[in-house]
Amino acid sequence: MDFSEKVALVTGSSSGIGAAIAKEFATGGAKVAIHYRGNADGAESAAEAIRSAGGKCGIYQADVSDVEQAAELIKTVQADLGGIDILVNNAGTTRDTLLLSMKEDEWDSVINTNLKSIYAVTRPVLRGMFKKRWGRVINISSVVGLSGQAGQTNYAASKAGIIGFTKSLAREVAPRNVTVNAIAPGFIPTALTDVLNDDQRDGILSTTPLGRMGTPDEIAWGVAFLASERAGFITGQVLSIDGGLVMA
């Protein structure tokens, strides 16, 4: 898809799904802001993959759950790359445990990284989109936000919150020709799913109609579609890319 003349910021894009999304936009001609919090080596690797293929990108560090750092990130990307047309809120983390064993910091860290960051990053980005009267916001949720998962009350709450945020913001910004959608990935091999043991993986595959895990590229393709001109009449929607795991 053609993203020439567009600037895309992908939070949490130093590896996994985020890196695949960044690469997909760069392949389409966009200038891409690769964001990371702590994985500097991963961000460099993602940038090198883009540059070696002839793409354009910059690398930016920030804790996007911190409102001041997020605002500074947006200002810097806009100054360096010439604005932000496409925002993908992908930064995320897990701290899995049963609720009775969950410590306050395990709740707070997941909610802040996964949900508060979307508030912190999206709010300052919207001003530029309003001026252009064009913008795309794509939030990465999860099938867990739709169905729940034992041992992930914090993660599921954050991902369900993203869906509510997406639908509410879509109504607010539609008059300015800004669309807001969410992707709900199923189980994708990334650092967040590496902790699964063989029994857990087998259980996931047995309940996934397509009988396999997805790939980061398959999520990236869905994101690219929602960011494209072809999706201009789609807003407030949740696209599940999950091999049929959650059907509603």
Side-chain angles (χ1 to χ4, degrees):
M1 295 183 185
D2 183 12
F3 294 108
S4 55
E5 308 302 321
K6 301 296 185 187
V7 176
L9 166 61
V10 184
T11 67
S13 47
S14 60
S15 65
I17 290 172
I21 293 169
K23 184 178 179 181
E24 183 69 17
F25 281 129
T27 299
K31 291 185 285 187
V32 180
I34 294 173
H35 159 264
Y36 74 99
R37 181 175 63 180
N39 186 8
D41 290 343
E44 289 288 352
S45 178
E48 177 57 30
I50 287 173
R51 290 168 180 157
S52 64
K56 300 176 182 178
C57 64
I59 300 173
Y60 302 87
Q61 190 279 332
D63 178 353
V64 289
S65 68
D66 182 291
V67 171
E68 292 184 1
Q69 288 190 44
E72 189 61 31
L73 168 69
I74 301 311
K75 286 173 59 178
T76 304
V77 172
Q78 289 172 331
D80 289 352
L81 302 182
I84 297 171
D85 304 291
I86 300 163
L87 169 63
V88 182
N89 285 305
N90 173 72
T93 191
T94 57
R95 298 283 296 278
D96 295 352
T97 188
L98 297 175
L99 184 63
L100 284 175
S101 303
M102 188 177 294
K103 298 179 175 62
E104 184 178 4
D105 71 293
E106 292 172 326
W107 175 271
D108 288 345
S109 66
V110 171
I111 296 298
N112 288 340
T113 299
N114 297 2
L115 186 56
K116 183 182 177 182
S117 65
I118 292 185
Y119 159 80
V121 173
T122 306
R123 188 168 175 265
V125 167
L126 288 176
R127 296 186 179 95
M129 291 180 174
F130 283 2
K131 289 180 181 179
K132 293 182 179 180
R133 298 192 70 82
W134 196 98
R136 298 284 192 266
V137 179
I138 298 138
N139 302 316
I140 306 302
S141 180
S142 169
V143 292
V144 173
L146 296 168
S147 65
Q149 179 68 30
Q152 289 192 315
T153 53
N154 49 5
Y155 186 75
S158 71
K159 294 301 186 177
I162 288 171
I163 292 171
F165 176 97
T166 296
K167 292 179 177 290
S168 298
L169 184 62
R171 293 180 181 276
E172 293 182 13
V173 302
R176 300 298 184 99
N177 197 35
V178 176
T179 66
V180 188
N181 292 288
I183 298 260
F187 287 91
I188 312 294
T190 67
L192 294 185
T193 58
D194 284 346
V195 298
L196 298 175
N197 60 41
D198 289 342
D199 288 341
Q200 290 171 319
R201 289 176 183 273
D202 290 344
I204 291 165
L205 295 180
S206 70
T207 56
T208 300
L210 286 181
R212 66 173 178 87
M213 289 190 177
T215 68
D217 283 340
E218 287 174 315
I219 306 304
W221 297 333
V223 171
F225 169 69
L226 290 176
S228 73
E229 293 289 354
R230 294 179 179 182
F233 200 53
I234 300 173
T235 196
Q237 302 304 306
V238 181
L239 174 61
S240 293
I241 304 178
D242 63 359
L245 180 62
V246 175
M247 297 187 187

